[in-house]
Amino acid sequence: MGEDGARQGLRARRCSGRSGFGPDTCACMDRDAGTRRRQVLGHLLGQGLALGSAWAAAALGGCTTTTTPGGVPIDTRHTSRGQDSRVLFLVIHYTVADLPMAIKILTENEVSAHYVLTDEPAPRIFRLVPEERRAWHSGPSAWKGHRLLNASSIGIEIVHRGFRIGPDGERIYLPFPQAQIDALIPLVKDIVARHEIRPERILGHGEVSPQFKQDPGPTFPWRLFSELGITPPWPDAIRVTAQQALFEAQPGGLPDVPWFQEMLAQHGYAIEKTGQLDTQMRNVLMNFQMRYRPARYDGLPDAESAALLWVLNNPMPGLPALPLPAPPALPAPPAPPARPASPPPAVPVLPA
Ligand SMILES: [Zn+2]
């Protein structure tokens, strides 16, 4: 019985299912239920349906019964194959606040998280919200069309200051202690395994809420998570370098802003396709760069960011990362005929 059940007043009891018809016997084994079961069995057999041995074993074996406050039994002996976890995403945060303040904020205010990972020398993990309940950690958030991710995610808050302000007013992001990362990895692996969360749905708060957040920031070891197989493979360096060179060599310069916005949307971000290098686009691109190109995250388009986006959006599953063949030498083009200027060439891309 989950805590939801307890709150709603449901009562549960277990029984062997084989020991008579006393007051503690579950409803699934009373005389009426047994009669109904035989009737249903006969009906199904009459329909020509094959009943597997698993069903028969369940029908004859033990059971768990809950009872509503109205006294109606709820028989839970059968389990549907067609089901999965409601948890689709894992969202990683840092608190900015220290441990006492973080616990206070996350337990006494309208914000919360399932887990808090402390920054002590031997880190501890607090569970503030049961996984089957919704924690209020992501606020306005979206990824690949999914919105308001609190309803479909587990949230982990890492006690971490985030950044300090440098002499010129800039943010200097601080590293995560190795002990904290060592404690985080098995927690993430366990949650991901139990809920079968897809690798590409393990995300930072800044990725699902780029207009408001940057956590866990550019020092979070996303590459390590990728190398451990927790998150998707890191963009192949050879492909990125080759694609970057193509972008840098194309006559028109970088791919244009609409291309970046389309690629960022394909990757998963909620971004308005305004066609303008506006604040919302820079926020999204900055979050992308924080994860995949943490050496520079100015939110401005550049060839390396374009190449990273292209490779991430065009993976080659099952193919080894081979050097790209040199393009064949082309004969000298004939003299162009006199005609109006042609439109600019399409963005060159490597074959996916
Ligand atoms: Zn956050």
Side-chain angles (χ1 to χ4, degrees), residues 91-95 137-138 156-157 204-206 213-216:
V91 181
I92 296 175
H93 308 251
Y94 60 55
T95 58
H137 59 95
S138 280
I156 300 176
E157 287 277 3
H205 194 187
K213 301 293 179 180
Q214 291 82 41
D215 56 322

